[in-house]
Coordinates of all heavy atoms in Angstrom, one line a residue:
G49 N -8.9 32.9 -46.7 CA -8.8 33.5 -48.0 C -8.0 34.8 -48.0 O -7.6 35.3 -49.0
D50 N -7.8 35.4 -46.8 CA -7.0 36.6 -46.7 C -5.5 36.3 -46.9 O -5.0 35.3 -46.4 CB -7.2 37.3 -45.3 CG -8.5 38.0 -45.1 OD1 -9.2 38.2 -46.1 OD2 -8.8 38.4 -44.0
K51 N -4.8 37.3 -47.4 CA -3.4 37.2 -47.4 C -2.9 37.6 -46.0 O -3.4 38.6 -45.5 CB -2.8 38.2 -48.5 CG -1.3 38.3 -48.5 CD -0.7 37.3 -49.5 CE 0.8 37.5 -49.6 NZ 1.4 36.4 -50.1
F52 N -2.1 36.8 -45.4 CA -1.6 37.1 -44.1 C -0.6 38.2 -44.2 O 0.5 38.0 -44.7 CB -1.0 35.8 -43.4 CG -0.7 36.0 -42.0 CD1 -1.7 35.9 -41.0 CD2 0.6 36.2 -41.5 CE1 -1.5 36.0 -39.7 CE2 0.9 36.3 -40.1 CZ -0.2 36.2 -39.2
S53 N -1.0 39.4 -43.7 CA -0.1 40.5 -43.8 C 1.1 40.4 -42.8 O 0.9 40.1 -41.7 CB -0.9 41.8 -43.4 OG 0.0 42.9 -43.5
H54 N 2.3 40.5 -43.4 CA 3.5 40.4 -42.5 C 4.4 41.6 -42.6 O 5.5 41.5 -42.2 CB 4.2 39.1 -42.9 CG 4.6 39.1 -44.4 ND1 3.7 38.7 -45.4 CD2 5.8 39.4 -45.0 CE1 4.4 38.8 -46.5 NE2 5.6 39.2 -46.3
K55 N 3.9 42.7 -43.1 CA 4.7 43.9 -43.1 C 4.7 44.5 -41.8 O 3.7 44.7 -41.1 CB 4.1 44.9 -44.1 CG 3.9 44.4 -45.5 CD 5.2 44.5 -46.3 CE 4.9 44.2 -47.8 NZ 5.9 43.3 -48.4
T56 N 5.9 44.8 -41.3 CA 6.1 45.4 -39.9 C 5.2 46.6 -39.7 O 4.6 46.8 -38.7 CB 7.5 45.7 -39.6 OG1 8.3 44.5 -39.8 CG2 7.7 46.2 -38.2
N57 N 5.2 47.5 -40.7 CA 4.5 48.8 -40.5 C 2.9 48.5 -40.5 O 2.2 49.4 -40.0 CB 4.8 49.8 -41.6 CG 4.5 49.3 -43.0 OD1 4.2 48.1 -43.2 ND2 4.6 50.2 -43.9
R58 N 2.4 47.4 -41.0 CA 1.0 47.2 -41.0 C 0.5 46.4 -39.8 O -0.6 46.6 -39.3 CB 0.6 46.4 -42.3 CG 0.9 47.3 -43.5 CD 0.6 46.6 -44.8 NE -0.8 46.6 -45.0 CZ -1.4 45.8 -45.8 NH1 -0.7 44.9 -46.5 NH2 -2.7 45.8 -46.0
T59 N 1.4 45.5 -39.3 CA 0.9 44.6 -38.2 C 1.7 44.8 -36.9 O 1.3 44.3 -35.9 CB 1.1 43.1 -38.5 OG1 2.4 42.9 -38.8 CG2 0.2 42.8 -39.8
G60 N 2.8 45.5 -37.0 CA 3.6 45.7 -35.8 C 4.6 44.6 -35.4 O 5.4 44.7 -34.6
I61 N 4.5 43.5 -36.1 CA 5.4 42.4 -35.9 C 6.3 42.2 -37.2 O 5.8 42.5 -38.3 CB 4.7 41.1 -35.6 CG1 3.8 40.6 -36.7 CG2 4.0 41.2 -34.2 CD1 3.2 39.2 -36.5
N62 N 7.5 41.7 -37.0 CA 8.4 41.6 -38.1 C 8.3 40.1 -38.6 O 9.3 39.4 -38.6 CB 9.8 42.0 -37.7 CG 10.7 42.1 -38.9 OD1 10.2 42.2 -40.0 ND2 12.0 42.0 -38.7
F63 N 7.1 39.7 -39.0 CA 6.9 38.3 -39.4 C 7.6 38.0 -40.8 O 7.4 38.8 -41.7 CB 5.4 38.1 -39.6 CG 5.0 36.7 -40.0 CD1 4.9 35.7 -39.0 CD2 4.7 36.4 -41.3 CE1 4.6 34.4 -39.4 CE2 4.4 35.1 -41.7 CZ 4.3 34.1 -40.7
K64 N 8.5 37.0 -40.8 CA 9.2 36.7 -42.0 C 8.6 35.4 -42.6 O 8.9 34.3 -42.1 CB 10.7 36.4 -41.6 CG 11.4 37.7 -41.2 CD 12.8 37.4 -40.7 CE 13.5 38.6 -40.3 NZ 13.0 39.2 -39.0
F65 N 7.7 35.6 -43.6 CA 7.1 34.4 -44.2 C 8.1 33.7 -45.1 O 8.9 34.4 -45.8 CB 5.9 34.9 -45.0 CG 5.1 33.8 -45.7 CD1 4.5 32.9 -44.9 CD2 5.2 33.6 -47.0 CE1 3.7 31.9 -45.5 CE2 4.5 32.6 -47.6 CZ 3.8 31.7 -46.8
Q66 N 8.2 32.4 -45.0 CA 9.2 31.6 -45.6 C 8.7 30.9 -46.9 O 9.4 30.0 -47.4 CB 9.7 30.5 -44.7 CG 10.2 31.1 -43.4 CD 11.5 31.9 -43.5 OE1 12.3 31.7 -44.4 NE2 11.6 32.9 -42.7

Side-chain angles (χ1 to χ4, degrees):
D50 285 351
K51 176 88 171 161
F52 191 76
S53 180
H54 57 279
K55 304 275 191 225
T56 304
N57 61 348
R58 296 177 80 197
T59 63
I61 60 171
N62 192 19
F63 182 81
K64 293 175 181 70
F65 184 68
Q66 304 295 327

